[in-house]
Amino acid sequence: MNITVIGTGYVGLVTGACFSKMGNKVYCVDIDEAKIEGLKNGILPIFEPHLGTIVKNSQEKRDLIFTTEIREALDDTDIIFIAVGTPMAEDGSANLDYIFSSATDIAENITHDSLVVIKSTVPIGTGFKVKKHIEDLLAKNGSDVRIEIASNPEFLKEGRAIEDCMHPDRIVIGAENPEVFETLKDLYSSFVLNHDRFVLMDVKSSEMTKYVANAMLATKISFMNEIANICEVTGADVQKVRLGIGSDKRIGYDFIYAGCGYGGSCFPKDVQALINTAQTNGYEPEILSHVEKVNKRQKMVLVNKIVDRFGEDLNGLTFAVWGLSFKPGTDDVREATSLVVISELVKRGAKVKAYDSQATEEFKKAIGEEYLNAIEFADNRHDACVDANALILITEWKEFRNPDFNTLSDILKEKVIFDGRNIYDKKIRKMNFELYQIGC
């Protein structure tokens, strides 16, 4: 099939690349000329394992075309995917400016009947509003072009997005026309040869499904962090509790690891957007509100432990930080715990030596100019620790999971570790390390 994907951010680029890998001809359209030129030359705006290889190979085969000219793309297209960002507005709602800007571009450039599929995460009811927006503009322009609308939310995990896209555990499609279901099932058929993984529903339910999926996962994380804090004040060990409850098949082990809070582009934004949607419709979502409240509080847990150990005045102290991205496998620092922890340490007078194999440049853009003078960015994990008063683990990249503690003992000024992801064995205390963890 011939496909246009509007937006070359995380979702659009991964989606377009994977469609092209399956032999479809894909136009990826973006208004950012510098980004498009970079992509044409193999420069990706994000880090995602294996994505670069697919983009390179598909461009060489002319199955993947990057352009700023939307008319060129739409003239040669069967299906149009909208995959632009929906950032959080000040009131917590989803900002739909990019969605409706894309809809306007479609209406002003489309020349034949087409299917418009919203891949972006959008509030319930957005699909129908987009359809009306396009139809109103077409009518104003005297066009007899007809469009169909569909919702096809993404469920990509950063760091594993290619695997998730190529081998999905489900493909949710929301539509009102049976022919739309068949068209999208044909498109995705090569992704699900072994099993029928399609979940078909109406457009609004599809839009809601994406929000609920992320809100449920965020709820599990905040719930377990709440339990970790209770364990800490009662003397229980949250690691052992996790094993005890995870063995129950109704609960499972996924997303019940205690830590220092969730971040990223999805969970914080989508929980807030769902809260806003509920409140706008006259319902107060108490559980979701507390999920968000617990997460904000959890991002301060490491800071509070550091202050308890070293005092409120951190002048003259240096802290090594391992991990800046919100999770391993990505350079994304949006809503990352590292931003909270490091800014709070600097406010108290501390110096920071940070290391992350992928996220350093993104972190520099996000942290704010007022903090940068107090932060040194190391070239490797050991350099970050030299003469530091303590090591703080924030992101559990694989290279941090089994460090040489004898080396750390030699290069740290003080043998103090704050483990924000509970990955270190308590046995290191026998090496005279002070180990501070979450809930144990």
Side-chain angles (χ1 to χ4, degrees):
M1 291 186 180
N2 292 355
I3 299 165
T4 290
V5 179
I6 301 177
T8 58
Y10 196 90
V11 174
L13 186 54
V14 170
T15 300
C18 289
F19 279 147
S20 70
K21 183 177 173 63
M22 289 302 195
N24 299 287
K25 183 178 181 181
V26 180
Y27 288 89
C28 281
V29 181
D30 203 293
I31 61 173
D32 188 332
E33 293 183 4
K35 182 190 286 188
I36 291 297
E37 283 304 310
L39 286 165
K40 287 179 179 179
N41 291 292
I43 302 171
L44 272 61
I46 59 172
F47 170 75
E48 180 63 38
H50 313 299
L51 178 59
T53 301
I54 297 175
V55 169
K56 179 177 182 294
N57 292 342
S58 292
Q59 281 198 96
E60 290 175 351
K61 297 175 183 177
R62 296 294 294 168
D63 287 334
L64 183 59
I65 301 168
F66 295 105
T67 181
T68 58
E69 299 297 327
I70 191 168
R71 181 176 289 274
E72 169 195 358
L74 296 186
D75 282 347
D76 191 25
T77 285
D78 303 309
I79 306 174
I80 307 163
F81 282 88
I82 297 177
V84 295
T86 53
M88 190 190 311
E90 290 185 6
D91 63 356
S93 64
N95 183 329
L96 299 179
D97 289 350
Y98 298 132
I99 294 287
F100 283 98
S101 176
S102 299
T104 298
D105 288 341
I106 292 170
E108 292 179 347
N109 291 280
I110 198 168
T111 57
H112 58 275
D113 295 353
S114 298
L115 169 60
V116 177
V117 183
I118 299 180
K119 176 69 78 171
S120 305
T121 303
V122 295
I124 296 82
T126 300
F128 294 126
K129 293 177 182 177
V130 167
K131 186 173 189 288
K132 184 177 187 303
H133 182 79
I134 295 173
E135 289 176 338
D136 286 349
L137 288 175
L138 289 171
K140 181 180 178 181
N141 295 333
S143 172
D144 60 358
V145 169
R146 299 180 61 185
I147 67 158
E148 293 285 352
I149 198 78
S151 168
N152 174 220
E154 52 83 18
F155 299 97
L156 306 177
K157 297 184 290 292
E158 293 191 38
R160 291 193 57 189
I162 299 299
E163 175 71 16
D164 290 340
C165 195
M166 299 299 293
H167 306 284
D169 52 12
R170 82 280 206 196
I171 298 171
V172 174
I173 301 172
E176 308 300 317
N177 185 334
E179 293 181 2
V180 172
F181 288 125
E182 293 307 312
T183 298
L184 290 175
K185 287 174 72 174
D186 286 344
L187 173 62
Y188 279 108
S189 61
S190 56
F191 293 85
V192 290
L193 292 176
N194 295 329
H195 298 90
D196 183 350
R197 299 182 185 274
F198 295 106
V199 183
L200 309 181
M201 58 186 72
D202 60 278
V203 172
K204 285 188 175 182
S205 295
S206 176
E207 293 167 338
M208 176 65 93
T209 296
K210 169 63 182 197
Y211 278 114
V212 174
N214 281 347
M216 175 61 79
L217 296 175
T219 299
K220 291 184 73 173
I221 294 171
S222 280
F223 175 80
M224 206 61 196
N225 283 333
E226 187 87 285
I227 295 303
N229 296 333
I230 297 172
C231 285
E232 195 156 312
V233 298
T234 59
D237 186 331
V238 73
Q239 295 287 69
K240 296 175 181 176
V241 173
R242 178 180 64 81
L243 294 174
I245 66 171
S247 56
D248 186 328
K249 293 180 180 179
R250 297 170 300 174
I251 298 172
Y253 291 105
D254 292 340
F255 288 85
I256 60 169
Y257 289 83
C260 49
Y262 61 76
S265 62
C266 293
F267 287 7
K269 173 178 71 72
D270 292 352
V271 169
Q272 277 288 347
L274 191 52
I275 291 170
N276 181 271
T277 295
Q279 291 173 338
T280 300
N281 286 276
Y283 181 80
E284 188 60 40
E286 295 185 8
I287 291 177
L288 290 176
S289 297
H290 281 85
V291 167
E292 179 67 10
K293 181 179 179 181
V294 168
N295 190 58
K296 288 182 178 178
R297 184 176 64 197
Q298 200 67 17
K299 291 182 179 181
M300 284 294 294
V301 165
L302 284 176
V303 177
N304 294 335
K305 288 179 180 292
I306 292 165
V307 169
D308 287 345
R309 169 61 175 79
F310 289 99
E312 188 70 34
D313 184 359
L314 301 179
N315 278 286
L317 300 178
T318 299
F319 295 92
V321 172
W322 280 1
L324 300 173
S325 56
F326 86 94
K327 62 177 282 189
T330 180
D331 62 350
D332 195 344
V333 301
R334 285 173 288 184
E335 302 291 332
T337 298
S338 62
L339 294 168
V340 174
V341 172
I342 291 176
S343 63
E344 290 293 331
L345 295 181
V346 172
K347 287 176 185 177
R348 290 167 172 80
K351 298 290 186 181
V352 172
K353 296 169 71 176
Y355 169 69
D356 190 295
S357 63
Q358 298 296 335
T360 297
E361 295 307 313
E362 292 301 315
F363 182 86
K364 289 178 182 178
K365 298 174 188 175
I367 187 62
E369 292 286 340
E370 66 270 28
Y371 300 108
L372 284 174
N373 287 338
I375 306 170
E376 177 185 339
F377 296 95
D379 293 329
N380 60 67
R381 63 184 185 272
H382 289 144
D383 284 355
C385 294
V386 174
D387 292 330
N389 295 91
L391 167 62
I392 307 166
L393 175 84
I394 295 180
T395 314
E396 66 279 26
W397 287 90
K398 288 182 179 179
E399 66 173 300
F400 303 147
R401 293 185 183 184
N402 191 28
D404 184 338
F405 288 102
N406 289 318
T407 298
L408 290 179
S409 178
D410 291 338
I411 61 179
L412 286 168
K413 184 178 290 187
E414 299 182 59
K415 295 167 67 171
V416 182
I417 297 178
F418 296 90
D419 178 7
R421 299 299 175 184
N422 289 355
I423 66 173
Y424 295 138
D425 195 310
K426 295 180 180 64
K427 291 178 182 177
I428 68 170
R429 288 174 176 150
K430 294 180 180 179
M431 300 174 64
N432 295 320
F433 276 96
E434 293 179 44
L435 178 64
Y436 299 88
Q437 295 181 303
I438 311 294
C440 53

